[in-house]
Amino acid sequence: MSKQLSAYLNRDLSWIEFNRRVLQEAQDSTNPLLERAKFLAIVTSNLDEFMSVRVAGIHEQIRAGLTKMDFTGYSPSGLWKRLQKRTKDIVHDQYRTYRDIVKCMNKEGIFIRNMADLNSTQQKLVEDYFYDIVFPVLTPMAVDQSRPFPHVHTKELYLAVSLRLENQVNQDEPLFAIIQVPSILPRFVTIPGRGNSKKQEFILLEDLLKSYIHTLFNGYTPFAVSTFRLTRNADLTLDEEGAEDLLEEIEKELRRRKWGVAVRLEIEHDIEPFALEMLKDELEINDGLFMIDGPLDLSFLMKFSNSIPGRDQLRNEKFEPEYAKEFEDADNIMSVIAQRDVLLYHPYESFEPVNEFVWQAAQDPEVLAIKMTMYRVNGHSSLVKALEYAAAEGKQVTVVVELKARFDEERNIAWAKQLEKAGCHVVYGLVGLKIHAKILLVVRREQHGLKRYVHVGTGNYNENTAKTYTDIGLMTSNDTIGTDASALFNEVTGYSVPRNWEAFAVAPSGMKQKLIRLIDREIENAHAGKEAKIIAKMNSLSNQEMINKLYEASIAGVKIELIIRGVCCLKPEVPGLSENIKVISIVDRYLEHSRIVYFFNDGAEEVYLSSADWMTRNLEKRVELLCPVFDNELKNTLIVLLNMSLGDNTKARQLKMTGQYEAVNREHEVPFRSQYVAQRVDKWKGTQYPVT
């Protein structure tokens, strides 16, 4: 199928459009200025991961000589060319936006200076900082016949220096050296103010180094200095089947990651030609060159925006999550969820009840066992400390630590060793599968026998991201869910064949099949002339089989509304194929991360929470969880939340069949921003009708 006739959008090109929506938030003048700068930093961080994983993978396919087209109609080489153009376009727009934001900062009295802009007093203070703090850390590395080109670390900032001997103007070929800009030091240096001025002034570390570069090369003249930054392939290639010790194998692979193939080289746009050729030759890169007109690696803007004192008027209003009202008057979390199910919606509601749940279980003499999955956990985790305490108290504590969580491998290895040392049973996941399900089980001895308490979530057990990601957590003592939870841990930690689940659907053995059956039921109802409707909220949709099933449902007359933050390979609104499908994406202050699926079911509505996006990796290569919400009040609350997202006419963008996103056009409607409404927990929790 040609690209022009393809029924699908390409996953990687769709991701570029997602990052463009993030960039649009940096360009949106209605956002506070320092928040706009943070969105620019997120664009950079997103591109870094995209280049080091997705683009690197396509690069490897080309190196291996693969020419087969994917189901969206792209060969590796064709996609590579398109991605290079699209990413360069977005980087160009990113730096144009950076310059606009810098101008706005200047108007507010915030300046990122060059050395030439400083007065003599400031220059002296900055010079002292260089000699006292920076100079002792620097290591210039010459490149010549006796000193080969040094290893360049991925995503670190370097200076490329072209030199000649002093007083030797007609030297045949320049000399060359590189210097790593020390990442252990702050990227930006605060400059003392000018007299009584209220201006806040800063200089970037690399610009400071350039000003004093001559101090590192006695007897030589540096005549050109430019920054550069390399991105390497960061994907792990594990031989899980042949590994005797998975933890040891991952540790080896992490060391190899530092030597991954170069996939992108960012360089200053006015780099000296000899230095450019040296870098291209030594790093063996030609196609992935990005000429940057501005400071490389704008991710520094995140810390920069957070560190400027005062300036609250240039930031979002501070927001404190509410403590769930269901637990306000209770001494014990389990005593509440023994009586009723409770739904937590982060970050609008605090993550603290989850921490308290585990701590109370750890201290309760009647609790016999605690089991949980761990995918991405923050440093200094309260949950980890609670698990260690529980193990010390003699409880059976089992933690399934996913060592293969990308870019969190080292942290998870450290957690695994720490938990084992504390006496916990640690399971390192399964061969060939990542364990991405988010579930926590507490087994307690009570008057009438053992009782199970369960927390099922759409996001990680991470206190930090629970403040910035939108995620749902269900706390329940439902017997059916508890039985399935025990069976799930038995399947992961021991030898158990996939079971006939009573409540759950679990990938890779049955979740996709369950979702297809639920969609088929809506199709049957549509064929029977009944109302049929599906609403699904997730991060990404790229599995071809699921897309085809949604197309089939659309053709049958099922109304489908999708809220997909990131990648979407489905083409909506195509006549005769997907005209009953609407797709929106919301990019706002918080990262939309919750996965919720709704089926009308002829009026007997069903709602599910899930850890899984509808991607092939989630449905076929991971242990994922789909959990029904049985409580009618909570079910209604989730429907309200879905309707809130669908009603967003401020931050929502609607996907067109071209693959482009457009602002939702509702000129005559009252502005409705779903994330701002969600901050008013009383507006949606326990309500009976959609919030408008």
Side-chain angles (χ1 to χ4, degrees):
M1 185 178 289
S2 69
K3 289 187 283 293
Q4 289 76 20
L5 299 177
S6 176
Y8 313 97
L9 300 170
N10 179 268
R11 168 181 170 174
D12 297 300
L13 295 176
S14 179
W15 184 90
I16 292 288
E17 290 305 310
F18 158 66
N19 212 31
R20 186 168 292 283
R21 295 194 294 282
V22 178
L23 178 57
Q24 286 171 352
E25 291 303 303
Q27 297 166 339
D28 186 349
S29 60
T30 66
N31 288 329
L33 181 59
L34 294 180
E35 304 299 332
R36 293 173 61 193
K38 289 181 187 177
F39 277 111
L40 268 190
I42 294 169
V43 171
T44 293
S45 299
N46 287 348
L47 274 172
D48 282 351
E49 181 170 346
F50 181 67
M51 297 298 295
S52 64
V53 178
R54 292 297 305 174
V55 174
I58 296 164
H59 188 249
E60 287 300 307
Q61 292 176 12
I62 295 171
R63 284 161 55 94
L66 299 181
T67 58
K68 183 181 178 182
M69 288 186 177
D70 63 19
F71 74 92
T72 68
Y74 281 91
S75 66
S77 60
L79 183 56
W80 171 271
K81 292 174 185 175
R82 181 67 68 90
L83 287 175
Q84 290 296 316
K85 183 182 186 307
R86 291 278 186 93
T87 49
K88 287 177 181 178
D89 286 346
I90 201 170
V91 168
H92 178 269
D93 289 347
Q94 181 189 16
Y95 277 88
R96 178 176 53 80
T97 305
Y98 171 75
R99 290 187 287 274
D100 289 343
I101 288 175
V102 166
K103 288 179 184 177
C104 293
M105 285 182 176
N106 293 168
K107 291 177 182 178
E108 296 289 343
I110 301 169
F111 296 87
I112 298 177
R113 300 289 197 186
N114 295 314
M115 283 293 290
D117 300 326
L118 308 184
N119 63 32
S120 57
T121 302
Q122 290 175 318
Q123 287 186 354
K124 179 62 172 67
L125 291 168
V126 169
E127 180 178 299
D128 290 344
Y129 178 83
F130 173 79
Y131 282 112
D132 293 345
I133 304 298
V134 182
F135 184 83
V137 181
L138 299 177
T139 305
M141 294 174 283
V143 178
D144 55 28
Q145 289 181 331
S146 63
R147 290 169 289 192
F149 200 91
H151 179 67
V152 174
H153 297 282
T154 186
K155 293 185 285 193
E156 293 285 349
L157 206 58
Y158 288 82
L159 298 182
V161 187
S162 299
L163 310 102
R164 62 171 66 96
L165 284 166
E166 284 184 357
N167 305 318
Q168 189 169 344
V169 178
N170 298 319
Q171 187 172 316
D172 290 339
E173 188 174 88
L175 301 171
F176 185 76
I178 69 171
I179 304 168
Q180 183 175 352
V181 178
S183 55
I184 197 170
L185 298 177
R187 177 76 185 277
F188 48 92
V189 180
T190 302
I191 301 171
R194 304 165 188 251
N196 295 323
S197 173
K198 294 183 179 179
K199 293 177 181 178
Q200 292 169 296
E201 300 176 88
F202 306 87
I203 187 170
L204 293 178
L205 184 58
E206 64 269 27
D207 290 338
L208 178 59
L209 296 190
K210 288 179 183 179
S211 299
Y212 292 96
I213 197 73
H214 59 279
T215 64
L216 298 168
F217 299 99
N218 187 38
Y220 294 82
T221 301
F223 64 88
V225 187
S226 299
T227 52
F228 72 93
R229 183 170 179 258
L230 185 70
T231 306
R232 296 183 181 275
N233 185 338
D235 213 10
L236 300 184
T237 53
L238 293 170
D239 178 17
E240 294 185 51
E241 296 284 351
E244 293 184 13
D245 186 321
L246 185 59
L247 186 147
E248 185 178 313
E249 184 67 22
I250 291 174
E251 289 180 316
K252 287 180 185 176
E253 195 62 32
L254 286 173
R255 289 191 289 272
R256 292 190 202 109
R257 178 185 273 173
K258 297 174 183 177
W259 298 87
V261 173
V263 293
R264 176 182 61 168
L265 178 61
E266 298 168 278
I267 43 184
E268 278 191 273
H269 71 289
D270 57 354
I271 188 171
E272 194 265 333
F274 173 77
L276 175 59
E277 290 305 312
M278 281 287 292
L279 292 174
K280 287 167 59 177
D281 290 346
E282 295 292 345
L283 298 173
E284 298 180 347
I285 188 165
N286 285 303
D287 294 335
L289 290 175
F290 285 73
M291 295 285 192
I292 305 297
D293 185 11
L296 273 59
D297 186 12
L298 294 181
S299 64
F300 81 89
L301 288 170
M302 183 64 73
K303 286 184 179 178
F304 179 78
S305 299
N306 286 330
S307 67
I308 299 176
R311 306 292 185 163
D312 287 346
Q313 77 278 11
L314 303 181
R315 298 184 173 93
N316 285 324
E317 289 185 28
K318 290 184 179 179
F319 171 74
E320 288 297 325
E322 290 191 17
Y323 191 85
K325 61 183 180 181
E326 293 88 343
F327 301 124
E328 280 180 349
D329 300 322
D331 294 328
N332 186 278
I333 300 292
M334 282 180 282
S335 67
V336 175
I337 58 179
Q339 302 299 319
R340 58 167 298 185
D341 292 357
V342 177
L343 205 66
L344 299 176
Y345 187 22
H346 314 300
Y348 314 107
E349 292 184 293
S350 171
F351 191 76
E352 196 55 33
V354 182
N355 287 336
E356 291 175 4
F357 173 47
V358 181
W359 270 109
Q360 289 169 6
Q363 296 166 339
D364 188 337
E366 300 304 321
V367 167
L368 305 179
I370 304 174
K371 304 181 182 186
M372 74 172 292
T373 57
M374 186 181 291
Y375 193 76
R376 299 189 196 276
V377 180
N378 55 291
H380 309 292
S381 169
S382 177
L383 286 175
V384 171
K385 293 174 184 174
L387 294 171
E388 292 174 334
Y389 181 89
E393 290 294 297
K395 303 182 191 309
Q396 290 287 313
V397 179
T398 304
V399 189
V400 181
V401 180
E402 181 47 74
L403 299 182
K404 302 184 291 291
R406 184 177 287 136
F407 301 122
D408 275 341
E409 299 96 345
E410 292 182 75
R411 174 179 287 177
N412 284 4
I413 287 171
W415 282 133
K417 291 178 177 178
Q418 183 175 324
L419 287 164
E420 278 188 326
K421 188 176 180 180
C424 301
H425 300 295
V426 178
V427 177
Y428 299 146
L430 299 172
V431 171
L433 297 173
K434 283 186 180 180
I435 298 179
H436 194 248
K438 326 295 185 185
I439 185 166
L440 169 59
L441 169 67
V442 171
V443 181
R444 188 174 189 272
R445 180 173 49 216
E446 299 190 356
Q447 185 176 356
H448 301 292
L450 296 182
K451 192 172 184 67
R452 298 176 179 91
Y453 296 86
V454 181
H455 175 276
V456 174
T458 65
N460 298 306
Y461 290 107
N462 187 310
E463 299 159 47
N464 292 338
T465 56
K467 296 174 183 175
T468 55
Y469 292 13
T470 72
D471 271 307
I472 306 286
L474 172 67
M475 304 182 81
T476 181
S477 62
N478 179 279
D479 289 338
T480 306
I481 290 177
T483 300
D484 276 3
S486 287
L488 177 60
F489 278 105
N490 289 342
E491 187 173 308
V492 170
T493 63
Y495 291 108
S496 290
V497 296
R499 60 177 273 125
N500 293 320
W501 305 98
E502 296 183 57
F504 292 169
V506 177
S509 58
M511 183 189 292
K512 183 167 67 172
Q513 292 78 1
K514 170 80 170 181
L515 289 168
I516 287 172
R517 288 197 299 271
L518 293 169
I519 298 171
D520 280 337
R521 187 177 62 190
E522 296 298 317
I523 292 172
E524 290 171 11
N525 287 336
H527 284 152
K530 300 176 181 178
E531 182 179 354
K533 185 175 181 179
I534 298 169
I535 307 174
K537 183 174 185 177
M538 64 192 80
N539 300 321
S540 301
L541 168 62
S542 61
N543 179 264
Q544 186 180 12
E545 190 175 354
M546 294 304 298
I547 294 170
N548 288 343
K549 183 54 65 174
L550 291 173
Y551 284 158
E552 182 184 342
S554 172
I555 293 168
V558 179
K559 183 182 179 183
I560 301 169
E561 295 180 293
L562 303 175
I563 308 154
I564 301 175
R565 184 197 77 223
V567 169
C568 181
C569 296
L570 177 148
K571 277 188 179 179
E573 303 174 356
V574 177
L577 180 68
S578 57
E579 53 199 325
N580 287 313
I581 303 178
K582 171 188 173 184
V583 180
I584 67 165
S585 168
I586 297 172
V587 178
D588 203 345
R589 175 176 181 173
Y590 303 114
L591 183 80
E592 293 286 338
H593 194 255
S594 50
R595 291 104 167 182
I596 312 168
V597 193
Y598 162 90
F599 299 93
F600 183 69
N601 188 26
D602 195 21
E605 297 165 305
E606 293 185 4
V607 184
Y608 297 82
L609 299 178
S610 183
S611 60
D613 295 314
W614 291 4
M615 305 177 75
T616 300
R617 71 183 189 191
N618 298 94
L619 299 174
E620 299 177 8
K621 299 177 182 178
R622 293 184 174 185
V623 176
E624 302 272 15
L625 187 58
L626 181 75
C627 177
V629 176
F630 292 127
D631 182 277
N632 286 328
E633 182 180 330
L634 301 190
K635 199 185 299 184
N636 183 76
T637 295
L638 289 170
I639 295 170
V640 168
L641 295 180
L642 289 171
N643 281 321
M644 283 168 54
S645 293
L646 291 170
D648 193 307
N649 58 15
T650 304
K651 291 298 183 180
R653 299 289 183 269
Q654 187 167 346
L655 176 60
K656 299 301 181 182
M657 60 182 290
T658 59
Q660 305 300 308
Y661 285 78
E662 297 179 0
V664 174
N665 184 16
R666 293 175 180 162
E667 293 181 7
H668 305 295
E669 292 186 8
V670 175
F672 185 84
R673 189 170 176 179
S674 57
Q675 289 197 358
Y676 273 29
V677 176
Q679 291 181 5
R680 288 279 312 279
V681 176
D682 61 300
K683 289 281 287 182
W684 52 264
K685 198 155 196 176
T687 60
Q688 295 301 309
Y689 303 99
V691 175
T692 56

